Amino acid sequence: MRSKSRREFLTAAVASAAALGVKPDLPSFSASSEGANALAINGGTPVRTTAFPDWPKITDDDEKSWNAVLRKKMWCRLGADPSYVSRFEETWKNMTGARYCVATANGTTALVTSLNALDVGPGDEVLVPPYTFVATINAVLLQHALPIYVDSDRETFQMDADKIEASITDRTRCILPVHLGGYPVDMDKVLAIAQKRDLRVLEDACQAHLAEWRGHKVGTLGDLGCFSFQASKNLNSGEGGAIVSNNEDLTQLCESFHNNGHLMSAVWYRYAINGCNHRMTEFQGALLLEQAKRLEAQSRTRTENAFYLTKLLRDIPGITPARTYEGCTRNAYHLYMFRYDESRFAGVPRSRFLEALEAEGIPCASGYTPLNKEPFMKATLGSRAFKRIYSEKELKEYEERNQCPENDRLCAEAVWFYQTMLLGTRQDMDQIAEAIRKIQRHAGELTRT
Ligand SMILES: *Cc1c(COP(=O)(O)O)cnc(C)c1O
């Protein structure tokens, strides 16, 4: 979720808690035998009253670097030699172990550039998860290709790799797994199917900086891998993106496409292919070079806290933290995700549970809605261009093929915490668990209102 909507969410939660505080029937409740131990949403004392770590982190070096770009008066990578952007590409290559890297304006343009390099176009089908940020799907639709939704594995929140093969047709061109929340998809299965069926693999690693599958950084396992450095992400320059690859030809196509059809090294006004301008600015490149220095340490802190939190939450009936696949050797924890079972909380619906948790001082969210059912899908497929490319029969069949019952359930059960909450201390994790246990103990009071 974007930080903007998160902020709105927090503001709304604070506002609703404040509104509850002035409700006339509440003082009597607080004064009951429960006293200060009552749920915060019912006027009790919140488990936590301090803020979680803020984001992003900045130092004097960020400021110096930013000013250096400003004073140099070379704000675009073209003509700046060596550019900050090319130095960041070098850094990101080293940090991911990829042979090549092309920086882009953002993660969405990294995906669009990659799909162009992979020659995905009208009439093609791309296998995607329904549980992702909408940009994954938008990138496919912009190519006038069809996103074919592969149902989710509820235990891991990821595309269920066992359901990929059944979705392949003679129109399938590419598998687009998303390492959602920073938890790697089962890449053994994805890569085996891709090889067997001669399909391309584009990894959406926009939430998975430094995550690993069997010791290899995600994004480097498929043909191309995309990252986002948007403000909410674990590595951040406000907006930003990158494509990594071990394939020289595909990298050259990406480089050309993102630079209006020019290779960086080529003669200007000679165009190999059509393209667009998806270049990263020097400001973004300079900031990322500084921010990237802190990523490894921050990432280790997130992992330690997430492991500890999982140990605590596993013991709470009705709370099931997302599992990782056996081949995952490192989780990026862009999100901390778990499933909530209301039957273990006296039937308190998830929405009410989230409100109660917010009131206890723990920011949280319900996460994605089923993308395959979103109105924008129908609107896009019903557009003039899509109707010219796909027959009525094809579009009707498409609707029938895109049922994801497991994902529907997942979307109704999911709860998220954000990566910044994992940047604090063990005591922070203790308080998260305590807030959930407190709500469980008092769940009956939430159903009575
Ligand atoms: C953030 C994100 C994107 C898009 O990246 P932007 O930099 O915001 O354009 C794509 N896919 C996923 C899974 C994301 O989380």
Side-chain angles (χ1 to χ4, degrees), residues 2 106-108 132-133 135-136 178 204 206-207 228 230 233 240:
R2 299 313 185 89
N106 56 58
T108 308
T132 182
F133 180 60
T136 315
V178 180
D204 181 337
C206 285
Q207 298 185 2
S228 165
Q230 186 269 339
K233 304 294 158 79

Side-chain angles (χ1 to χ4, degrees), residues 27 101 151 156 235 255 302 310 321 403 438:
C101 176
D151 205 354
T156 61
L235 177 59
E255 191 187 296
R302 285 189 196 98
T310 298
Q403 305 298 322
K438 180 181 171 191

Side-chain angles (χ1 to χ4, degrees), residues 1-2 104-111 131-137 139 176 178-181 204-208 226-233 238-242 334-335 368:
M1 194 189 283
R2 299 313 185 89
T104 58
N106 56 58
T108 308
T109 52
L111 287 166
Y131 200 77
T132 182
F133 180 60
V134 67
T136 315
I137 311 307
L176 206 175
V178 180
H179 305 293
L180 207 273
D204 181 337
C206 285
Q207 298 185 2
C226 293
F227 290 91
S228 165
F229 309 120
Q230 186 269 339
S232 68
K233 304 294 158 79
E239 302 281 3
H334 174 61
L335 299 168
Y368 299 127

Side-chain angles (χ1 to χ4, degrees), residues 25-286:
D25 57 326
L26 283 173
S28 65
F29 190 87
S30 315
S32 74
S33 58
E34 299 280 4
N37 289 328
L39 290 175
I41 200 169
N42 285 337
T45 308
V47 167
R48 185 182 171 92
T49 48
T50 51
F52 279 92
D54 65 345
W55 188 255
K57 305 288 177 204
I58 51 173
T59 68
D60 289 347
D61 286 341
D62 293 284
E63 203 173 321
K64 268 188 222 147
S65 196
W66 185 267
N67 265 315
V69 177
L70 190 74
R71 298 285 170 203
K72 201 173 154 200
K73 299 187 180 181
M74 297 286 263
W75 300 345
C76 168
R77 71 177 295 172
L78 299 175
D81 190 23
S83 67
Y84 284 92
V85 176
S86 62
R87 277 152 56 195
F88 172 69
E89 287 171 337
E90 210 49 42
T91 298
W92 196 238
K93 240 164 58 178
N94 292 335
M95 288 179 77
T96 58
R99 215 172 292 161
Y100 308 102
C101 176
V102 178
T104 58
N106 56 58
T108 308
T109 52
L111 287 166
V112 168
T113 300
S114 299
L115 288 169
N116 273 280
L118 294 169
D119 198 17
V120 171
D124 289 335
E125 293 180 353
V126 179
L127 304 184
V128 294
Y131 200 77
T132 182
F133 180 60
V134 67
T136 315
I137 311 307
N138 279 335
V140 175
L141 292 171
L142 277 169
Q143 298 304 111
H144 293 99
L146 288 180
I148 303 295
Y149 292 100
V150 177
D151 205 354
S152 300
D153 175 350
R154 270 170 59 239
E155 282 192 22
T156 61
F157 288 54
Q158 307 302 319
M159 167 189 266
D160 187 342
D162 288 328
K163 292 185 176 151
I164 291 176
E165 281 217 85
S167 304
I168 295 174
T169 70
D170 54 6
R171 293 184 146 207
T172 312
R173 171 124 191 103
C174 178
I175 308 175
L176 206 175
V178 180
H179 305 293
L180 207 273
Y183 301 51
V185 172
D186 188 336
M187 288 306 287
D188 288 357
K189 287 182 181 164
V190 170
L191 294 173
I193 295 165
Q195 186 161 39
K196 184 170 139 202
R197 306 295 294 262
D198 193 25
L199 298 173
R200 299 300 202 141
V201 176
L202 169 58
E203 294 175 78
D204 181 337
C206 285
Q207 298 185 2
H209 314 78
L210 303 187
E212 288 176 9
W213 182 260
R214 301 202 188 280
H216 298 280
K217 294 284 185 292
V218 303
T220 66
L221 297 145
D223 295 288
L224 294 167
C226 293
F227 290 91
S228 165
F229 309 120
Q230 186 269 339
S232 68
K233 304 294 158 79
N234 295 17
L235 177 59
N236 160 26
S237 52
E239 302 281 3
I243 305 163
V244 295
S245 183
N246 292 321
N247 182 316
E248 187 178 2
D249 294 339
L250 285 175
T251 304
Q252 288 216 341
L253 286 169
C254 289
E255 191 187 296
S256 292
F257 184 85
H258 108 295
N259 191 31
N260 269 318
H262 298 79
L263 275 177
M264 286 301 176
S265 53
V267 186
W268 201 238
Y269 302 129
R270 295 281 182 281
Y271 322 103
I273 54 167
N274 76 316
C276 200
N277 175 8
H278 293 319
R279 288 186 304 264
M280 177 180 274
T281 68
E282 285 287 271
F283 289 104
Q284 291 167 290

Side-chain angles (χ1 to χ4, degrees), residues 236-390:
N236 160 26
S237 52
E239 302 281 3
I243 305 163
V244 295
S245 183
N246 292 321
N247 182 316
E248 187 178 2
D249 294 339
L250 285 175
T251 304
Q252 288 216 341
L253 286 169
C254 289
E255 191 187 296
S256 292
F257 184 85
H258 108 295
N259 191 31
N260 269 318
H262 298 79
L263 275 177
M264 286 301 176
S265 53
V267 186
W268 201 238
Y269 302 129
R270 295 281 182 281
Y271 322 103
I273 54 167
N274 76 316
C276 200
N277 175 8
H278 293 319
R279 288 186 304 264
M280 177 180 274
T281 68
E282 285 287 271
F283 289 104
Q284 291 167 290
L287 201 48
L288 286 169
L289 275 169
E290 292 305 321
Q291 293 280 325
K293 291 177 187 164
R294 284 161 249 158
L295 178 61
E296 178 66 39
Q298 288 168 344
S299 163
R300 250 182 274 133
T301 304
R302 285 189 196 98
T303 303
E304 277 164 27
N305 278 324
F307 277 21
Y308 180 66
L309 182 61
T310 298
K311 258 191 245 154
L312 300 176
L313 297 192
R314 255 198 221 125
D315 290 338
I316 305 177
I319 299 294
T320 313
R323 186 171 73 77
T324 48
Y325 292 107
E326 184 246 318
C328 168
T329 45
R330 187 168 181 181
N331 185 332
Y333 288 108
H334 174 61
L335 299 168
Y336 186 93
M337 310 187 287
F338 65 90
R339 283 180 293 140
Y340 167 79
D341 177 1
E342 63 174 45
S343 75
R344 310 304 291 266
F345 284 75
V348 173
R350 179 184 59 170
S351 57
R352 191 83 178 123
F353 168 76
L354 292 173
E355 282 167 15
L357 199 51
E358 282 279 349
E360 297 298 339
I362 312 296
C364 52
S366 55
Y368 299 127
T369 53
L371 281 180
N372 53 322
K373 295 178 158 180
E374 282 288 328
F376 83 93
M377 283 298 307
K378 222 183 190 120
T380 309
L381 297 181
S383 69
R384 204 172 60 87
F386 273 82
K387 283 203 286 206
R388 281 177 64 175
I389 299 162
Y390 305 96

